[in-house]
Amino acid sequence: MDIAERFINYTKFDTQSAEDSETVPSTPKQLIFAKYLKEELEHEGFADVEMDDKGYIYATLKANTKKNIPTIGFISHYDTALDASGANIKARVVANYDGGDILLSPGIVSSPKKFPELLEHKGEDLIVTDGTTLLGADDKAGIAEIVEAMCYLRDHDEIKHGDIRMGFNPDEEIGMGAHHFDVEKFGCEWAYTMDGGDIGNLEYENFNAASAKITIKGVSVHTGYAKGKMVNASRLACEFNGYISETEIPETTEGYQGFYHLLGIESHCEEAKLSYIIRDHDKEKFEERKNFIEDIAKRMNEKYGEGTVKAVLKDQYYNMKEKIDPNMHVIDIVLKAMQDTGVTPKVEPIRGGTDGAQLSFRGLPCPNIFAGGVNFHGPYEFVSVQVMKKAVQVIVRICELTARFND
Ligand SMILES: [Zn+2]
């Protein structure tokens, strides 16, 4: 089996996760794929293959030397995004892409005019959809690459390596992938999620994140007799949001710039609720942003009376950089592996979070490496076979370099 075939087999399973589900995994159909993957891992002859009742799969490629080598791991998620259908995916290979428009289905065209990223893959073999579903390269490409790399090492005994662990999980797209990940059982000194974008992508900085729920109490009075009595919570909600600068919102920020994002407002005269998310890579600025929200509430309470505005803030996740910085060898090894395999690293801060960020704070430093998918979460998603093969080489090389770590 080659990597394209392996990956395309995975895409035949609908593994879409679902928000607001009470179960783990969030959708039972994910378990059907999990069982298939578990059997594939057993069939390939890996050790300690196990799947728990939540669909988390762990397996090992055993060390082929007695040398003292840190155990490392590779992780990828098998659920797909909620933004587009993941059912009846009809993946196909566009061989030797010529740089022109790709007709996905009658009337549905993937064009480099709209997606200039396509041109970076001229001459490569691209796996595309029929334009009605997503592809699920996020993150089944990551799974295919990890399995393929482990098979390669299994078949090349001359490449010495320590124990290499594999971890495959559901529900990443709903932010729950790391929650039930058994870090202890995984037993690695560090690991990598293969869940990044195009070739070279390497991420080990993400946002610090918090949510803020604002409740504003109003006083409803007939508008004809409102003078001096009415407190219009809707109007106060507008006032509250007015304190937030237009230069500190997602629409106007990029790179390392943090923001406040108003997720939604629900309001009438008597009560208003505003829901925000707060994001910043810098821990200090993150704290300042949270204080700023509390200050607005304080200021408005001074103006309208104590208890008018209530702000409840909750931290969601933190920047993994804090946990990577004391472990920079985890990054250095990837950079060297990329260099050795002819991949130009593109290190970028994530403007979001990853499963790896949560795992890093649970004691498993876990940066994110490219899996190759482009145009995630939509029907124009594609992945290059050559990029997937590069990812395999990078994984193999990481294992090889890790074997020399204690030399
Ligand atoms: Zn992903």
Side-chain angles (χ1 to χ4, degrees), residues 295-315:
D295 274 352
I296 303 173
K298 211 174 125 204
R299 244 186 283 181
M300 287 184 65
N301 280 333
E302 276 161 14
K303 189 169 165 189
Y304 295 103
E306 205 46 53
T308 307
V309 179
K310 205 175 96 192
V312 178
L313 286 95
K314 217 175 117 195
D315 286 1

Side-chain angles (χ1 to χ4, degrees), residues 7 81 89 115 144 177 193 283 298 305 364:
F7 168 69
I89 296 172
F115 306 110
T193 49
K283 198 64 180 270
K298 211 174 125 204
L364 181 69

